[in-house]
Amino acid sequence: MNILVVNAGSSSLKYQLIDTTTDVVSAKGICERIGMDGSLIEHKQIAKGLKTKELSPMKDHADAMKMVVKYLTDAEYGCIKDMNEIQAIGHRVVHGGAFFSGSILMTEDVLEKLELCREFAPLHTVAHLMGIRGCLEIMPEKPQVLVFDTAFHQTMAPEAYIYALPYEYYEKYGIRRYGMHGTSHRYVSGEMAKLLDKPVEDTKIVTCHIGNGSSITAVKGGKVVDTSMGFTPLAGVEMGTRCGDIDPAIVPYIMDKENLSGAQINDIMNKKSGFLGITGVSSDSRDVEDAIAAGPENPNYEKALLAVNILKHQIKKYIGSYAAVMNGLDAVVFTAGIGENSIMLREMVCEDLEFFGIELDKDANKLAFRRSEATKISKDGSRVSVYVIPTNEELVIARDTAAIVSAL
Ligand code: AMP
């Protein structure tokens, strides 16, 4: 089945056309600066290895979808004759609140519920709604499926998702742990479970999605029992520009000392903290690692090392606490931009975890870089397997969409 996977942001729309019978991506691209001057589409036709770009006014997401259709069906850059060759559209949706514990066919009722999730992730949800409505406008008869980043985490028990605040805030405002990156955690934990020599119900896996945004999840028997992100994607480990978990009392303390509003401190914790806040130089782990590689003479060396050491320390703590929560551990998986590519971070995290049965194969770890397949980086005798598994959220979205549409 040919599925068009759409990831709509507030001024961008990424897309991939995936054949779910072969898992092959035939085309992909991005529309940028939607609703602004200078909007453009960048499109790749994978089989022919062709790339193109066009500047074209796109006032909204419906205009962007028209451009996507134009390029998918283009005689030279396209890969289909017309849109009848696409059976359905699958959308990435960042936050489904507690309404959605799985992927779902889009209906007016579903869109009404999604509107209610706006408060949890305002920018993303508004963008997704624009993307969905843009598709509806130009292809009203095409089935659309919504795949939520929060859905995989809905299996957590109340003791993992309720905060010890007055209970009425959970009841009145839905304040609880939701978790993020669920589609990625679901994909890599599923791939990892297939590699373990035991039934899925018996597997205990910690998945470390470490990128610009990072989250760590405990997956027991194929179900999430805990995850590091919380009510918002600010929680958990240190990230590119986000602080992760801190003592909550620091927030009013800094507000008072620096005379900041709630919005200002929120901005600092989300955009000026993490790697950027510690190093003062960059949020990008490549820059941070380069500063470390330049050696102690480099003025940024110490802060860069501190930034990575903080992240290492936190990831270790999550692995340990999640092994305790699951009463065991079969595998640890690294994924996303940093997890898939940072040889240094993986080595730092896995060092001194022999007590846990984690023994890293340093040579295998060095070779696991920009690989497209799952790669084992633990020693053969290691009680806990450690793998690098490239994430593929688009494939999960395409597969869920195909499964839902086939059952119609
Ligand atoms: P993501 O959010 O998953 O796209 O990941 C983005 C992060 O991955 C950025 O901090 C990048 O610097 C990081 N990244 C990508 N390639 C590498 C690499 N070769 N070594 C270290 N970090 C990398």
Side-chain angles (χ1 to χ4, degrees), residues 209-213 240 275 283-287 289 335-343 369-370 391:
H209 176 113
I210 313 293
N212 235 333
F275 276 8
S283 63
D284 192 304
S285 76
R286 280 167 293 200
D287 298 335
E289 291 194 16
T335 194
I338 301 175
E340 289 169 34
N341 296 305
S342 174
I343 295 163
F369 178 71
R370 298 212 174 120
T391 195

Side-chain angles (χ1 to χ4, degrees), residues 40-285:
L40 79 156
I41 182 167
E42 282 185 43
H43 175 86
K44 282 187 201 160
Q45 208 285 16
I46 313 277
K48 295 186 201 157
L50 295 175
K51 269 191 206 176
T52 184
K53 250 188 207 182
E54 184 188 336
L55 273 165
S56 170
M58 297 177 221
K59 67 175 183 323
D60 55 25
H61 288 66
D63 280 353
M65 278 312 300
K66 282 182 200 152
M67 288 302 284
V68 173
V69 171
K70 174 182 154 183
Y71 274 96
L72 289 175
T73 54
D74 185 82
E76 188 180 359
Y77 293 104
C79 43
I80 50 171
K81 268 211 279 336
D82 58 47
M83 290 306 279
N84 290 326
E85 288 184 40
I86 292 179
Q87 279 73 44
I89 302 166
H91 291 271
R92 175 193 180 217
V93 180
V94 160
H95 215 306
F99 292 113
F100 303 106
S101 55
S103 304
I104 194 160
L105 186 72
M106 187 272 299
T107 61
E108 270 312 314
D109 180 50
V110 165
L111 290 188
E112 272 170 34
K113 288 205 176 92
L114 185 57
E115 287 277 0
L116 298 176
C117 301
R118 260 167 97 140
E119 270 194 276
F120 299 132
L123 295 177
H124 281 109
T125 309
V126 169
H128 299 326
L129 284 163
M130 289 194 291
I132 295 162
R133 295 204 192 282
C135 291
L136 254 182
E137 198 177 314
I138 67 159
M139 294 173 272
E141 75 303 334
K142 201 68 74 190
Q144 298 193 52
V145 168
L146 276 53
V147 180
F148 302 90
D149 268 6
T150 45
F152 188 49
H153 300 301
Q154 282 291 309
T155 50
M156 281 185 288
E159 62 260 37
Y161 70 73
I162 297 284
Y163 293 113
L165 285 163
Y167 195 76
E168 65 188 274
Y169 296 140
Y170 165 61
E171 294 175 308
K172 277 204 284 196
Y173 307 121
I175 292 178
R176 50 158 284 178
R177 181 185 305 283
Y178 289 102
M180 311 284 151
H181 301 135
T183 310
S184 172
H185 289 293
R186 182 174 144 208
Y187 177 74
V188 297
S189 63
E191 293 299 299
M192 186 65 242
K194 284 189 228 159
L195 294 164
L196 291 170
D197 198 16
K198 51 163 79 173
V200 175
E201 307 76 63
D202 299 336
T203 55
K204 294 167 181 175
I205 301 169
V206 170
T207 48
C208 306
H209 176 113
I210 313 293
N212 235 333
S214 302
S215 65
I216 302 185
T217 297
V219 187
K220 186 179 184 187
K223 296 199 167 78
V224 173
V225 291
D226 207 349
T227 190
S228 63
M229 280 185 169
F231 178 60
T232 73
L234 182 57
V237 294
E238 177 195 27
M239 302 174 223
T241 59
R242 286 173 249 170
C243 58
D245 288 344
I246 58 170
D247 177 345
I250 294 170
V251 176
Y253 190 85
I254 297 180
M255 285 171 76
D256 187 42
K257 291 280 178 201
E258 300 267 321
N259 199 17
L260 298 177
S261 67
Q264 285 171 318
I265 188 83
N266 199 34
D267 200 57
I268 289 169
M269 292 188 297
N270 274 288
K271 299 191 184 140
K272 297 185 178 133
S273 301
F275 276 8
L276 179 64
I278 296 286
T279 63
V281 177
S282 176
S283 63
D284 192 304
S285 76

